[in-house]
Amino acid sequence: MSWGVVPALLVCLAAPAFFVLRVPWVGWLLLAAALFGAWLADGRRISIRRRSGDEPPSLLRDVSLIAIGLLIVSAIDLKAELDNLAMLRFGLALGGAVVAPYLISRYLYRDHAIRFPWRGGGRWTWWQWVWLVGVLALGWLILPFYFITSGVYMNWPVVDTPDLIARLFVGVGAVGIWDELFFICTVFVLLRRHFPDALAIVLQSVVFVSFLWELGYQAWGPVLTIPFALVQAFLFLRTRSLGYVVTVHLLFDAVVFAVLVHAHNPGALPIFLV
């Protein structure tokens, strides 16, 4: 452990400032402090040249990539909406938060820190298939109780027409894929270049859960989203497969979608216990 953990913590704490407290200037100050701290931790060096093979990765570079992604996401209101303008706004902001750090890492810093290993470790093992079934079962048991008894399903717009239901399905799935591209393949991967895996998992979960809070997973939602964020990072470590963690997330989100339709249209999907 080193003093570098301080700027890493600061850049991650900017996420709750942006998405939970919703006080942008606090987030900006935390990002500025994180960049300054990373510069100190790097020995007050700023360089965009290609890193040599025996040179440790630059904390300043990696913190800057996370900060850029957070700034892009924080530029929009994350309230779930399904009109054309809202979906375009989400697409541009969330897409930019993944694409911009990737391009800067690859073409400006030239260190290829961010990668998207779709297949990773190869064929899925038996326990990976079992976990996919477990995700569906846990979602079916827990999510209706959470969304309906807490009332947080009202954070999503009413979906009572085929067009709105289709838009909700696309939106939930697209955000789920983005979650893994940004929180795992960007934030987590950058952090674990500098810190033990366990610490990197915890730090990225702060960013992950904060985003989900503003998106609508409020009330006692963090009781669910914190374990989910931790498990997704752990699965990525074990499988080295973006494809697998995306599949897990999409299965979970399929249940989220079904619960939202059920909550807004009681009796439409009589497959839940609540």
Side-chain angles (χ1 to χ4, degrees):
M1 199 67 65
S2 69
W3 284 107
V5 73
V6 175
L9 178 60
L10 290 174
V11 76
C12 292
L13 288 177
F18 285 132
F19 309 130
V20 180
L21 299 179
R22 303 188 71 177
V23 184
W25 65 267
V26 174
W28 300 335
L29 287 178
L30 288 169
L31 292 182
L35 292 172
F36 180 70
W39 175 65
L40 292 176
D42 275 352
R44 294 179 290 183
R45 290 178 291 105
I46 297 178
S47 173
I48 60 173
R49 64 177 176 80
R50 184 189 297 272
R51 181 170 65 93
S52 63
D54 58 349
E55 183 181 348
S58 166
L59 182 62
L60 177 58
R61 288 185 182 184
D62 293 342
V63 165
S64 74
L65 295 175
I66 298 173
I68 289 167
L70 289 176
L71 283 173
I72 294 173
V73 177
S74 68
I76 67 167
D77 184 352
L78 293 176
K79 180 181 178 182
E81 296 175 323
L82 298 175
D83 59 275
N84 290 336
L85 184 59
M87 297 186 78
L88 176 62
R89 183 175 68 246
F90 261 73
L92 291 175
L94 300 190
V98 171
V99 172
Y102 172 77
L103 293 178
I104 292 171
S105 171
R106 178 160 186 166
Y107 295 108
L108 181 61
Y109 297 159
R110 293 171 294 176
D111 60 3
H112 294 242
I114 301 172
R115 301 175 186 272
F116 305 102
W118 185 254
R119 296 193 63 181
R123 298 182 62 180
W124 295 354
T125 62
W126 66 269
W127 67 265
Q128 289 175 264
W129 289 103
V130 170
W131 179 241
L132 295 182
V133 176
V135 166
L136 287 173
L138 289 171
W140 178 77
L141 284 172
I142 299 171
L143 290 176
F145 180 77
Y146 163 61
F147 276 98
I148 295 173
T149 61
S150 69
V152 297
Y153 71 92
M154 297 300 295
N155 293 332
W156 281 262
V158 175
V159 285
D160 53 5
T161 66
D163 175 63
L164 289 175
I165 291 173
R167 286 171 177 264
L168 178 66
F169 180 79
V170 171
V172 169
V175 172
I177 295 171
W178 178 85
D179 287 344
E180 305 305 328
L181 294 176
F182 184 67
F183 300 119
I184 300 300
C185 288
T186 303
V187 177
F188 174 59
V189 165
L190 292 172
L191 290 172
R192 72 182 296 255
R193 279 156 53 95
H194 304 273
F195 309 109
D197 290 338
L199 178 58
I201 288 175
V202 172
L203 288 174
Q204 69 83 28
S205 72
V206 174
V207 186
F208 202 147
V209 172
S210 299
F211 171 83
L212 292 179
W213 176 273
E214 185 175 352
L215 193 63
Y217 292 84
Q218 298 174 7
W220 51 275
V223 175
L224 301 178
T225 56
I226 291 174
F228 185 76
L230 298 175
V231 168
Q232 285 296 91
F234 174 76
L235 289 174
F236 184 75
L237 277 179
R238 286 291 306 272
T239 66
R240 305 187 304 280
S241 171
L242 173 60
Y244 184 73
V245 295
V246 164
T247 301
V248 171
H249 202 131
L250 288 180
L251 287 175
F252 195 79
D253 279 352
V255 182
V256 170
F257 161 77
V259 171
L260 290 173
V261 173
H262 166 69
H264 284 293
N265 305 273
L269 290 174
I271 60 174
F272 299 109
L273 300 177
V274 179

